[in-house]
Amino acid sequence: MRRFPSRLAVAGAAVVLTAGLIAPTAAQAAARPATRAGTLKWAALGDSYTAGIIEATGALTAPQDGCARTTGSYPELIRRDLGSGADLRNVSCSGAATPDVYANKQSPNGRPLPPLGTDPNAPYPPVPPQVDAVDPDTQVITVGIGGNDLGFAEILKDCIELGAARLGLGTPCKDKYDAQLPGRLDRLRTGYNAMLGALQTKAPSARIYTVGYPHLIPENARLCRYGSLLQFATFTAGDLAWARTRILEPLNLVVEQATSAQQDTYVDLYADSAGHSVCDGDHWLDGVLTSVVPLKYAVVHPNARGQAFAATQVENTVLGG
């Protein structure tokens, strides 16, 4: 396990990076507005893995627009780490896909996620495309997205239902979805490239960092207890192994390759979160539920430890730690 850096080390690195970013060339200085001295202008974009959404990552932040950003999500941890050293705008939104970053208004669902329950404040008005939070003088953009382009929630729900119907045997979810995955991954690649292009156009001088997904599923899927709502419920072991190698790992690969092609920087959460999957003892992600009593939904999302890990990985990459 990678040791988390001290808050003082992070703050010191922020000062160094900010000093470099706010000392532009003469051409850059003429092209973009001035920023407050010593302040790193940062836009945090993404889906529910960025927003936090679940109760295990804290209370909802204001404004409560249905995007379900939480106080313990990694952008908010970074905001607290950097303090006055950063002007961080977090517009990540649960349920977002790549078009919701660069083109579409999104109608968020709030918390908890349907179909397990409906947010009492729903329906929410549409929120603008996340790119609207990016200005020409934005210096750092972090974006973690892609799972919803592949239909994570749909596949999770179906795998649980199909696994229950098969009493935990076989690979019914693989049988239903495997032939569809190449097309879905191709659409993700197209969406990711369009998104990165739009961000680069909006903030030509910004450093863009894409954030991958952590190790949701263990290397040995039989570590997961069939029927456990604290893990993957009635997902079969065969379907879990398939989902890791045919969905999660290819998803991260597409994000990494698209990022490299645009000469941006990929933040890998997968490698260093091995051994901390939903089914491991020291798990950084919760399963279908965080707890049964009291009932707390998770729908397979990072918990507080997972968000702290993501914050560290992103900080270390952006700040050169």
Side-chain angles (χ1 to χ4, degrees):
M1 172 178 162
R2 187 171 185 171
R3 185 173 62 86
F4 293 173
S6 71
R7 300 301 190 222
L8 289 176
V10 167
V15 170
V16 172
L17 178 63
T18 302
L21 285 173
I22 65 174
T25 66
Q28 289 171 330
R32 76 185 199 206
T35 56
R36 189 167 70 249
T39 300
L40 183 63
K41 193 164 185 179
W42 186 321
L45 319 177
D47 61 18
S48 57
Y49 272 60
T50 301
I53 195 169
I54 67 174
E55 290 182 73
T57 60
L60 297 175
T61 63
Q64 293 185 19
D65 56 3
C67 285
R69 292 177 288 270
T70 64
T71 56
S73 62
Y74 74 78
E76 297 305 315
L77 296 178
I78 292 170
R79 186 198 305 279
R80 289 198 289 276
D81 282 348
L82 302 187
S84 61
D87 174 11
L88 191 151
R89 189 171 185 188
N90 177 12
V91 293
S92 57
C93 195
S94 174
T98 53
D100 300 314
V101 173
Y102 72 88
N104 294 346
K105 288 185 177 181
Q106 180 188 348
S107 297
N109 291 320
R111 185 174 81 174
L113 291 174
L116 299 177
T118 300
D119 188 314
N121 296 314
Y124 290 91
V127 296
Q130 295 181 32
V131 71
D132 286 7
V134 176
D135 297 323
D137 60 337
T138 298
Q139 296 160 293
V140 169
I141 301 170
T142 51
V143 54
I145 204 157
N148 293 315
D149 292 71
L150 295 187
F152 257 12
E154 169 200 13
I155 293 172
L156 175 67
K157 177 177 178 292
D158 281 356
C159 288
I160 289 171
E161 292 177 352
L162 292 167
R166 292 282 294 273
L167 302 178
L169 301 176
T171 56
C173 208
K174 173 186 175 182
D175 298 342
K176 177 175 181 177
Y177 282 106
D178 196 59
Q180 301 178 29
L181 291 179
R184 293 189 184 206
L185 289 164
D186 285 344
R187 287 192 295 273
L188 169 63
R189 189 183 304 276
T190 299
Y192 225 93
N193 286 332
M195 177 191 73
L196 292 177
L199 295 175
Q200 290 163 353
T201 298
K202 191 77 179 286
S205 299
R207 299 184 186 182
I208 299 176
Y209 299 83
T210 65
V211 182
Y213 288 82
H215 228 104
L216 281 68
I217 303 166
E219 301 295 319
N220 178 7
R222 297 200 176 276
L223 290 176
C224 301
R225 299 189 304 275
Y226 178 77
S228 172
L229 291 175
L230 299 180
Q231 296 183 0
F232 289 96
T234 52
F235 232 110
T236 73
D239 278 338
L240 283 170
W242 163 80
R244 178 176 60 79
T245 59
R246 291 282 290 162
I247 301 176
L248 181 57
E249 291 175 354
L251 163 60
N252 278 334
L253 182 60
V254 166
V255 172
E256 184 176 13
Q257 289 174 340
T259 303
S260 178
Q262 298 286 345
Q263 298 184 322
D264 294 320
T265 302
Y266 175 67
V267 182
D268 181 12
L269 299 187
Y270 193 75
D272 283 357
S273 59
H276 301 284
S277 75
V278 168
C279 303
D280 285 298
D282 181 16
H283 55 99
W284 294 351
L285 300 102
D286 291 346
V288 174
L289 300 180
T290 292
S291 64
V292 178
V293 181
L295 184 65
K296 292 185 178 181
Y297 302 119
V299 202
V300 190
H301 279 81
N303 54 32
R305 293 186 299 278
Q307 291 288 351
F309 163 72
T312 295
Q313 297 293 87
V314 172
E315 288 172 348
N316 283 348
T317 304
V318 173
L319 304 179

